Amino acid sequence: MERLDKIIASQTEYSRKDVKYLALNKKLTVNGEIVRRSDIKVDPEKDEIAINGKPMLVKKYVYLILNKPEGYISATEDKSQATVLELIPEEFKCRDVFPVGRLDKDTTGLMILSDDGEFAHNILAPKKHVEKEYEVTVDIKVTEEMKQGFLEGVDLNDGVCKTAILEITGDYTANVTLTEGRYHQIKRMFGCFGAKVVKLHRTRMGKLVLPNDLEVGDSRELTEEEIKLLTTR
Ligand code: URA
């Protein structure tokens, strides 16, 4: 059981104070009965809460997929730069949604946002071995030496040696698969071979591939099946 005002404030744009006034003005019902107090306890899974006669769909957590465009930073707020949070559907902006793993400002592609911390941990923790795949374009030819080097592990100058799978797809292009993401990892790994990444696009997390019909800048809720695919190795 949880307080009614807490549930509503966490799921909608109404503040706890707003909820108090809604109750005083008989705008709130629980299972069809008008409630005059906003601090009563209800079961968010079972009780039907309605505001102004409109039933509220209570969701414990939100899981979103975004096709990230260039020019947005992976943060929840910033004084001067646009964040990926600006791109999510309006109805989820009142929730404490955060990016599940960062992409650089100029990196595009598959990004997951959620307010479920445990889920985020399951996707990001190196021990969970959830793969993240990227299409990369670099400014010099991709070589077998790079491929071998990625596999053996590249020293990123912070005391950690990182390995990755590099598949050569063209003279200047490759697919790179990581199971953990260090700061600027792909750019730094190519940097060790004198290559500069000119384009980076994430195409897959776990078994979830960026859907073709999700336009750049678009986002939507994940289906239950897609959520499962994300944590599948
Ligand atoms: N590696 C990078 O260098 N940048 C990203 O955005 C993701 C992985």
Side-chain angles (χ1 to χ4, degrees), residues 102-104 107 134 178 182 184-188 200:
R102 286 164 180 263
L103 288 181
D104 295 335
T107 301
Y134 299 81
L178 309 175
R182 293 268 164 179
H184 290 330
Q185 183 167 333
I186 294 182
K187 290 176 185 167
R188 287 158 74 204
L200 188 55

Side-chain angles (χ1 to χ4, degrees), residues 83-161:
T83 74
V84 286
L85 264 288
E86 292 170 32
L87 298 165
I88 67 169
E90 212 51 47
E91 64 201 280
F92 302 117
K93 288 192 177 160
C94 57
R95 308 210 30 153
D96 292 330
V97 164
F98 57 87
V100 177
R102 286 164 180 263
L103 288 181
D104 295 335
K105 189 175 175 182
D106 56 356
T107 301
T108 58
L110 174 54
M111 170 162 260
I112 301 299
L113 298 111
S114 178
D115 49 2
D116 181 347
E118 196 181 328
F119 163 81
H121 174 77
N122 282 337
I123 291 180
L124 300 176
K127 274 191 195 150
K128 305 280 178 179
H129 302 288
V130 173
E131 291 181 350
K132 287 99 191 165
E133 188 172 338
Y134 299 81
E135 285 171 3
V136 193
T137 307
V138 285
D139 65 339
I140 57 172
K141 285 205 168 153
V142 187
T143 61
E144 284 296 329
E145 185 206 346
M146 292 179 191
K147 183 174 169 171
Q148 202 51 39
F150 271 48
L151 205 58
E152 283 163 12
V154 174
D155 190 348
L156 293 179
N157 295 333
D158 53 9
V160 248
C161 190

